[in-house]
Amino acid sequence: GQQLNQSPQSMFIQEGEDVSMNCTSSSIFNTWLWYKQDPGEGPVLLIALYKAGELTSNGRLTAQFGITRKDSFLNISASIPSDVGIYFCAGRPPYGAGSYQLTFGKGTKLSVIP
Amino acid sequence: NAGVTQTPKFQVLKTGQSMTLQCAQDMNHNSMYWYRQDPGMGLRLIYYSASEGTTDKGEVPNGYNVSRLNKREFSLRLESAAPSQTSVYFCASSEAIVKFFGPGTRLTVL
């Protein structure tokens, strides 16, 4: 099946620094989603991307749908302690109608040092 | 509007015991899902239900059964729990591609 490579696996950064993480795939996706999971909670949607080349922001977060449709990037600017958590990318392959199978990356664990 | 709710939040079982994880959503979504999350493995789909009355296997269905009781509720049953089923279980619902997750059930099988 589809495989997503998410990197880095973990990051330790100083408060105030910018963060970049990405997901890559060997095959194309029609939709990219980015989720954040706080410790002890379920994943919460941050950004959804529906078109190749799309660049979308949500506050200090910016995500891009790669032009090749095989990758996506998430950037966090000026990190703060509450950014701590696990960030997941998820992609929807270009199947026909009825495809409910999002493929998830294994997550990037972000730690912010005050 | 509670979104997706799951019960229980924590559970400890002995090998061979059975239990049912409950999930309910109040967003009137057609589709519901069960995932498990293990360290380093990300989220893996166990079963899903595209609409009331239908269920389908996901990536890791062995050892589990599901019931879509009505549009709101989707339960996951472990008939004979095994230590390999120690995990965090998430229920999710969606109307389109975007999934909304519950808070999770942390299950330990001894």
Side-chain angles (χ1 to χ4, degrees), chain A residues 27-98:
Chain A
S27 46
I28 62 173
F29 286 97
N30 275 358
T31 303
W32 285 96
L33 305 175
W34 284 92
Y35 284 86
K36 183 196 177 196
Q37 184 178 22
D38 288 328
E41 302 292 331
V44 173
L45 182 72
L46 297 174
I47 293 178
L49 303 160
Y50 298 104
K51 201 165 62 172
E54 182 180 351
L55 184 72
T56 297
S57 293
N58 178 6
R60 293 178 296 106
L61 278 62
T62 302
Q64 184 161 23
F65 192 141
I67 199 71
T68 66
R69 296 169 66 191
K70 293 183 179 181
D71 56 10
S72 180
F73 304 86
L74 176 70
N75 296 315
I76 305 172
S77 62
S79 58
I80 59 178
S82 61
D83 290 334
V84 164
I86 302 176
Y87 292 79
F88 290 99
C89 63
R92 179 190 181 187
Y95 299 151

Side-chain angles (χ1 to χ4, degrees), chain B residues 13-27:
Chain B
L13 294 177
K14 294 181 180 177
T15 297
Q17 285 186 317
S18 61
M19 80 160 293
T20 300
L21 281 64
Q22 307 286 353
C23 173
Q25 53 95 5
D26 62 3
M27 295 176 281

Side-chain angles (χ1 to χ4, degrees), chain B residues 91-105:
Chain B
C91 177
S93 72
S94 73
E95 193 53 48
I97 193 59
V98 174
K99 294 179 171 59
F100 296 86
F101 287 85
T105 294

Side-chain angles (χ1 to χ4, degrees), chain B residues 73-93:
Chain B
E73 298 171 290
F74 188 36
S75 62
L76 178 72
R77 182 159 178 84
L78 286 70
E79 289 291 350
S80 179
S84 61
Q85 293 178 306
T86 293
S87 188
V88 182
Y89 291 86
F90 289 101
C91 177
S93 72

Side-chain angles (χ1 to χ4, degrees), chain B residues 6-17:
Chain B
Q6 293 183 234
T7 56
K9 201 162 177 64
F10 300 94
Q11 184 71 49
V12 178
L13 294 177
K14 294 181 180 177
T15 297
Q17 285 186 317

